Amino acid sequence: MKLITIVGVSGSGKTTVAEALIRAFTAAGLSVASAKSIACGRPGIHRRQAPGLSPHQLTPFTIDTPGSNSYRHRQAGSSLVLTRAATETALLFPQELPLPSLLPLLAPYDYVILEGDYDAPLPRIVTAVDPADAAERITPRAFAVSGQAASRHRHLCGLPAFDVTTPEGASALASLTAQMAAPWPAPATPALSLRDASGHPLPLPESLHQALALALLSANTPLPPGAELTIRLPGEATP
């Protein structure tokens, strides 16, 4: 699973960019999950500081319908409401959940596209109406600009700009996103050790350690958590 986030001022084109990426990835045979942060915080607007939560404005929001049966379940105190219908299944929690707690649910998908999540420590696409909008939201994690401003600029604030309303722009941004999206869980460096034939530890040169770790990661051969890869040098064991 690989993740990115799309941030930008309201009306700048975040959802249009999300749609373009979803279409491009699904057309390539990849599975996509997406998450929309509602009423996201913006520079100059009050942002919640709770760890792991998106900086939403303190605006009441629900996809449920007040007065519906599921709404009444929640009002009565149900900690989790599940609604099932012929065309949709929904889980309704009575509070926002931190993104890390939701990622295992999204793990089966090839890509996860977050729209409006400013606090996720992920590579980001910035959408903007004009260069000033872009500049306010560009961080070291930003790798591209899109939205309305991209129809008038090829580059903004030192980043490439992509007009996803054109097939060429959408395809180019999808290709770059595939390169820049962050894997989850992040690859871990395997624990490696070098021992002689008797099992005694030997110094492991840093260059060899890096080469072996890179080979394992490149071969897509993950080790279980806490596992250690031991290399034994040939020779007779000493008593």
Side-chain angles (χ1 to χ4, degrees), residues 17-99:
V17 171
E19 289 175 320
L21 293 177
I22 292 169
R23 291 191 185 104
F25 289 145
T26 55
L30 301 167
S31 59
V32 181
S34 58
K36 168 66 178 177
S37 294
I38 306 298
C40 357
R42 306 192 301 276
I45 290 182
H46 174 73
R47 295 163 63 91
R48 289 192 292 166
Q49 299 301 319
L53 299 184
S54 299
H56 301 167
Q57 298 179 48
L58 302 182
T59 303
F61 170 82
T62 179
I63 61 171
D64 206 357
T65 303
S68 67
N69 293 340
S70 54
Y71 184 87
R72 290 168 62 186
H73 288 195
R74 291 208 297 167
Q75 291 299 107
S78 179
S79 298
L80 174 64
V81 177
L82 169 65
T83 64
R84 298 169 60 230
T87 57
E88 187 174 78
T89 298
L91 287 172
L92 304 175
F93 295 86
Q95 71 280 335
E96 183 185 3
L97 299 178
L99 179 62

Side-chain angles (χ1 to χ4, degrees), residues 182-209:
W184 184 89
T189 301
L192 303 171
S193 64
L194 184 65
R195 298 178 182 273
D196 62 20
S198 302
H200 300 136
L202 298 172
L204 180 62
E206 181 63 24
S207 58
L208 179 57
H209 184 282

Side-chain angles (χ1 to χ4, degrees), residues 41-222:
R42 306 192 301 276
I45 290 182
H46 174 73
R47 295 163 63 91
R48 289 192 292 166
Q49 299 301 319
L53 299 184
S54 299
H56 301 167
Q57 298 179 48
L58 302 182
T59 303
F61 170 82
T62 179
I63 61 171
D64 206 357
T65 303
S68 67
N69 293 340
S70 54
Y71 184 87
R72 290 168 62 186
H73 288 195
R74 291 208 297 167
Q75 291 299 107
S78 179
S79 298
L80 174 64
V81 177
L82 169 65
T83 64
R84 298 169 60 230
T87 57
E88 187 174 78
T89 298
L91 287 172
L92 304 175
F93 295 86
Q95 71 280 335
E96 183 185 3
L97 299 178
L99 179 62
S101 70
L102 298 172
L103 291 181
L105 178 66
L106 306 175
Y109 298 90
D110 296 312
Y111 285 91
V112 175
I113 296 173
L114 308 180
E115 179 185 335
D117 195 323
Y118 278 83
D119 282 358
L122 297 170
R124 66 166 53 179
I125 297 170
V126 176
T127 61
V129 175
D130 54 47
D133 288 338
E136 285 184 341
R137 292 160 180 81
I138 287 176
T139 69
R141 296 183 187 273
F143 65 89
V145 176
S146 190
Q148 295 185 38
S151 64
R152 302 182 297 275
H153 300 274
R154 297 287 300 274
H155 292 83
L156 275 172
C157 304
L159 295 176
F162 300 89
D163 181 2
V164 298
T165 63
T166 69
E168 298 80 9
S171 176
L173 181 57
S175 296
L176 180 59
T177 299
Q179 298 175 37
M180 301 302 296
W184 184 89
T189 301
L192 303 171
S193 64
L194 184 65
R195 298 178 182 273
D196 62 20
S198 302
H200 300 136
L202 298 172
L204 180 62
E206 181 63 24
S207 58
L208 179 57
H209 184 282
Q210 292 178 357
L212 291 170
L214 180 60
L216 283 172
L217 294 175
S218 299
N220 194 24
T221 309

